Amino acid sequence: MKFTIKNSLFTAIVSELHKISSNKSLLPILSGIKIEARKDGVVLVGGNAELFIKKKFPLHINGETVVEVHEEGSVVVLSKHFVTLLKKLPDDIEISSDDMQSVLIKSGDIVTRLNGLRAADYPTLPEIKVLHSIEVNLTSLKEVIKQTIFAVSKSEEKPALTGVKMEFDNNKLICTATDSHRLSHREIQISYTEDSHSVIVPSKSLIELLQLKESSLATVHITIAKNMILFSTENTILYSVLIEGNYPNTQSLIPTDFATRITMNTKTLIAGIDRACVFSEEWKHNNVHLTIIDNTILKITTNSAGIGAIEEQQRISMVEGNTDVNMTFDGRFLLDALKGIQEEQVTISFYGVMKPAVITPEIETSYVQLISPVRS
Amino acid sequence: MKFTIKNSLFTAIVSELHKISSNKSLLPILSGIKIEARKDGVVLVGGNAELFIKKKFPLHINGETVVEVHEEGSVVVLSKHFVTLLKKLPDDIEISSDDMQSVLIKSGDIVTRLNGLRAADYPTLPEIKVLHSIEVNLTSLKEVIKQTIFAVSKSEEKPALTGVKMEFDNNKLICTATDSHRLSHREIQISYTEDSHSVIVPSKSLIELLQLKESSLATVHITIAKNMILFSTENTILYSVLIEGNYPNTQSLIPTDFATRITMNTKTLIAGIDRACVFSEEWKHNNVHLTIIDNTILKITTNSAGIGAIEEQQRISMVEGNTDVNMTFDGRFLLDALKGIQEEQVTISFYGVMKPAVITPEIETSYVQLISPVRS
């Protein structure tokens, strides 16, 4: 194997793959990156037992030659030192390997040799038997994931809740995440007319999908197979396992018929809740009290016996229903939910004592955040 | 106590003091910052048992009013939550305290209360009995410290070696640091005609001195008292203890009569040694081999049995003496020493097998780095 490549491009991709390569696996080869030089470009694969990413460098990008393949072949390089070294090398590098898996990286008078491993020993990516295939704009997909992923459960007790449920139904993609204390729900329009279908995708895989550096106009093809989901763009494929098991029916959790509904300026409210979270590390639950006073003011307060108190008042833009609200929430949950809202105004609906509150953008109903109150 | 202040300025200083305030001390008050509002401005003090910094906000900076003192007084605020909170508040804040040491921080409709401590319980900064007083440009002083401080000993075994020796002698300031494997020595011209005098300053205090944000033209007054050194600029005083004990006579360690002397491009050499350090975490000593080949080339090599090897060749600009050099050094020591050199060319002198090497800027003799070789 022998090829020359622009180091700046190459290092960026190797760094991405290094982050997901497993260094705790029983299979040492998984802490490596597979490099394959082919007539039509160089292909890199890195991953761990649940997630693989395959990246292709075509010979030319926007008419500029970025790779020249002098000899086909493949090898596996342990990623840790490979990344560190690449970052310290000039832009033009030549990478080659011999029959002994010795990998030479040359740049001018700088000659580096790393011990490699046999490419044949690297796990073979599974053959895909496609069940469903969907096309989505990558930027929209990332946004939907960002708006829901924070609500997944951090506990492994109920494995299904550690992932995001992605439901493809009647020209809609519906993402849902919940840890049973809060729920995040987001829908977008897509072109999908096949049978309704849903999968649970591990949040770790979606975090990597969010990291993918691609053009904002890129289209991602979602391919669903048995136990597996693939997200493919022009030069990248992300393979992820699916979480097996049943996802709870969350639609029934979202209440109807609010007792009180208020509309506030989103940014101002985020800043206020953020300040109220200053003492959060002192508490298991970061208790933030919300009280409506004088029918027009939302009072946000926190108290920490030993340290002090924070109190601020914000004007409510609009209030509906009764104004008898005096509830306590986990401030970080409020903050996570509010940060997903891009609209200028946010609506919070209350349903009575000890019932969850629902946060949505004003008017918009395709984004719903449900938060249970804290028993205080 | 009551004053209004520009929060952006105030937060920057409180953050600086928070970093040095002690949260591990037996005296809880040392994890606080003392705030004193006086007719002529607001004074903040923070520190730990070995180091205090006192910062003054005058009423006006460059003609702009930054502080308005409404009522004199003082209080101590625990710095951790104070800093976090200030960062989340708008620019105009009012700070006040009452007889119960309750500290109110107000900004518009945002009202925050932190529990404070009695200012009278904060340690009183010592009265100074000046022994020597010297004026230096702050930027020059910082440079001298940066060029030496990395060589201090990280072990507490010989306390004197954990500090930088500062020697004031015959219009010169001479800084020296050594951990007995390497030595860093730097002299600059100053105006000082009193008796020769030297002190050992803890490296932790000098690290804080390097952090001081002041104009590059600022003058620092160095005041030496018994067991103490003060660095004062217009609005800041840094108080540090001195390290007692005798500093070794290092002048005799610097050898004369080199066997080989080479001159190289500084930046190229730094990049090469940096690459050679890629495997450094695999070794206790990061062994980098330097070999002269063909009288004109310096070969830099490292080997790590399990991982691979790095080798590169760099052209020597000038060589004097015999060219029989084949030595091994700790790569990180070489790197630290070279990074202090701002000149385009660097001179390395070798004195024979197992003798230290000396690194200096070309020609310049006021900056000397001595590095012992590694027994390989």
Side-chain angles (χ1 to χ4, degrees), chain B residues 59-331:
Chain B
L59 302 177
H60 311 284
I61 294 177
N62 300 330
E64 195 198 349
T65 300
V66 290
V67 179
E68 280 181 68
V69 176
H70 308 294
E71 191 191 326
E72 292 185 294
S74 56
V75 72
V76 173
V77 190
L78 298 183
S79 63
K80 195 171 98 179
H81 295 102
F82 192 44
V83 170
T84 319
L85 184 67
L86 287 172
K87 286 185 181 163
K88 296 176 191 290
L89 287 176
D91 204 27
D92 287 308
I93 54 170
E94 179 197 285
I95 298 182
S96 59
S97 66
D98 60 19
D99 292 346
M100 301 299 290
Q101 328 304 334
S102 182
V103 182
L104 271 188
I105 306 143
K106 282 194 204 171
S107 183
D109 284 335
I110 308 161
V111 179
T112 319
R113 192 181 53 70
L114 292 175
N115 301 332
L117 299 164
R118 274 166 27 103
D121 295 337
Y122 198 83
T124 314
L125 293 181
E127 289 290 315
I128 302 304
K129 206 175 147 191
V130 178
L131 296 179
H132 302 271
S133 177
I134 306 111
E135 272 188 24
V136 194
N137 168 273
L138 180 60
T139 307
S140 309
L141 181 65
K142 282 184 174 181
E143 192 186 302
V144 176
I145 293 169
K146 270 189 220 157
Q147 287 177 318
T148 46
I149 195 167
F150 57 81
V152 301
S153 173
K154 274 72 186 173
S155 144
E156 292 289 333
E157 208 179 315
K158 295 177 184 165
L161 298 191
T162 64
V164 172
K165 181 184 170 206
M166 297 181 89
E167 199 173 346
F168 304 91
D169 181 26
N170 194 19
N171 285 320
K172 270 195 235 168
L173 163 61
I174 306 161
C175 287
T176 310
T178 180
D179 61 1
S180 44
H181 300 291
R182 56 174 163 176
L183 168 82
S184 181
H185 172 104
R186 176 77 164 104
E187 308 179 0
I188 54 166
Q189 295 294 318
I190 55 168
S191 300
Y192 182 78
T193 50
E194 292 179 53
D195 287 352
S196 160
H197 190 80
S198 80
V199 290
I200 310 171
V201 187
S203 55
K204 281 181 192 163
S205 304
L206 294 176
I207 288 168
E208 293 308 323
L209 183 64
L210 291 177
Q211 306 297 327
L212 284 191
K213 285 174 196 72
E214 300 272 344
S215 139
S216 61
L217 296 172
T219 295
V220 53
H221 297 258
I222 304 176
T223 310
I224 298 168
K226 198 167 176 300
N227 302 329
M228 196 182 311
I229 189 165
L230 271 67
F231 298 91
S232 330
T233 63
E234 195 182 350
N235 291 313
T236 307
I237 309 177
L238 186 150
Y239 297 73
S240 169
V241 294
L242 289 173
I243 298 176
E244 293 187 60
N246 291 320
Y247 203 82
N249 174 11
T250 53
Q251 200 56 45
S252 63
L253 299 175
I254 300 174
T256 48
D257 303 329
F258 62 85
T260 312
R261 171 169 284 176
I262 59 174
T263 302
M264 311 274 302
N265 179 285
T266 313
K267 278 192 188 159
T268 313
L269 185 59
I270 288 176
I273 302 290
D274 187 32
R275 279 187 285 269
C277 288
V278 165
F279 303 146
S280 61
E281 61 194 64
E282 308 293 326
W283 291 83
K284 195 179 168 193
H285 296 290
N286 173 37
N287 292 3
V288 171
H289 311 286
L290 300 182
T291 318
I292 296 180
I293 51 174
D294 295 344
N295 294 335
T296 52
I297 301 286
L298 182 71
K299 194 172 82 171
I300 305 164
T301 41
T302 39
N303 274 289
S304 173
I307 307 166
I310 297 173
E311 175 181 317
E312 73 179 90
Q313 305 195 349
Q314 295 192 0
R315 180 157 295 278
I316 297 171
S317 312
M318 201 174 70
V319 59
E320 294 172 75
N322 81 62
T323 55
D324 183 21
V325 169
N326 185 354
M327 292 182 77
T328 306
F329 295 93
D330 184 318

Side-chain angles (χ1 to χ4, degrees), chain A residues 1 3 10-22 28-36 42-47 52-55 57 74-84 86 95 103 115-119 122-123:
Chain A
M1 182 194 79
F3 62 93
F10 192 67
T11 304
I13 303 301
V14 172
S15 299
E16 262 185 79
L17 296 182
H18 168 56
K19 276 185 220 136
I20 59 160
S21 68
S22 172
I29 202 159
L30 281 185
S31 61
I33 290 173
K34 186 171 114 176
I35 306 174
E36 190 181 354
V42 170
V43 175
L44 300 185
V45 180
F52 281 96
I53 294 181
K54 186 171 175 176
K55 282 270 184 184
F57 290 89
S74 56
V75 72
V76 172
V77 191
L78 297 184
S79 63
K80 195 172 99 178
H81 295 101
F82 191 43
V83 170
T84 319
L86 286 172
I95 298 181
V103 181
N115 301 332
L117 298 164
R118 273 164 31 102
Y122 197 82

Side-chain angles (χ1 to χ4, degrees), chain A residues 68-206:
Chain A
E68 281 180 67
V69 175
H70 309 293
E71 191 191 327
E72 292 185 291
S74 56
V75 72
V76 172
V77 191
L78 297 184
S79 63
K80 195 172 99 178
H81 295 101
F82 191 43
V83 170
T84 319
L85 183 69
L86 286 172
K87 286 185 180 162
K88 294 176 192 291
L89 287 176
D91 203 28
D92 287 308
I93 55 170
E94 179 197 285
I95 298 181
S96 58
S97 67
D98 61 18
D99 294 345
M100 301 300 289
Q101 327 305 334
S102 181
V103 181
L104 270 189
I105 306 144
K106 282 193 204 174
S107 182
D109 284 334
I110 307 161
V111 180
T112 319
R113 193 181 52 70
L114 292 174
N115 301 332
L117 298 164
R118 273 164 31 102
D121 295 337
Y122 197 82
T124 313
L125 292 181
E127 289 290 317
I128 302 302
K129 206 174 148 195
V130 178
L131 297 179
H132 301 271
S133 177
I134 306 112
E135 272 190 22
V136 195
N137 168 272
L138 180 61
T139 306
S140 309
L141 181 64
K142 282 184 175 183
E143 193 187 301
V144 175
I145 293 169
K146 271 189 217 157
Q147 288 177 318
T148 47
I149 196 168
F150 57 81
V152 300
S153 174
K154 275 73 187 173
S155 143
E156 294 288 334
E157 209 179 312
K158 294 178 184 164
L161 298 191
T162 64
V164 173
K165 181 185 167 204
M166 297 180 90
E167 199 174 344
F168 304 91
D169 182 24
N170 193 17
N171 283 321
K172 270 195 238 168
L173 163 61
I174 306 161
C175 285
T176 309
T178 180
D179 60 2
S180 44
H181 300 293
R182 56 173 163 176
L183 167 82
S184 183
H185 172 104
R186 176 77 163 106
E187 308 178 1
I188 53 166
Q189 295 294 319
I190 55 168
S191 300
Y192 181 78
T193 50
E194 292 178 53
D195 287 351
S196 160
H197 192 82
S198 79
V199 291
I200 311 171
V201 187
S203 56
K204 281 182 193 162
S205 304
L206 294 176

Side-chain angles (χ1 to χ4, degrees), chain A residues 291-344:
Chain A
T291 318
I292 296 180
I293 52 174
D294 295 344
N295 295 334
T296 52
I297 301 286
L298 182 71
K299 195 173 81 173
I300 305 163
T301 42
T302 39
N303 273 289
S304 174
I307 307 165
I310 297 172
E311 176 182 317
E312 75 179 88
Q313 306 194 349
Q314 294 193 1
R315 181 158 294 278
I316 299 170
S317 312
M318 201 175 70
V319 59
E320 293 172 75
N322 81 63
T323 56
D324 183 21
V325 169
N326 184 355
M327 293 183 76
T328 307
F329 295 94
D330 183 319
R332 288 161 304 181
F333 285 11
L334 287 174
L335 213 49
D336 287 341
L338 288 168
K339 281 183 175 167
I341 295 188
Q342 286 142 5
E343 287 77 1
E344 200 184 319

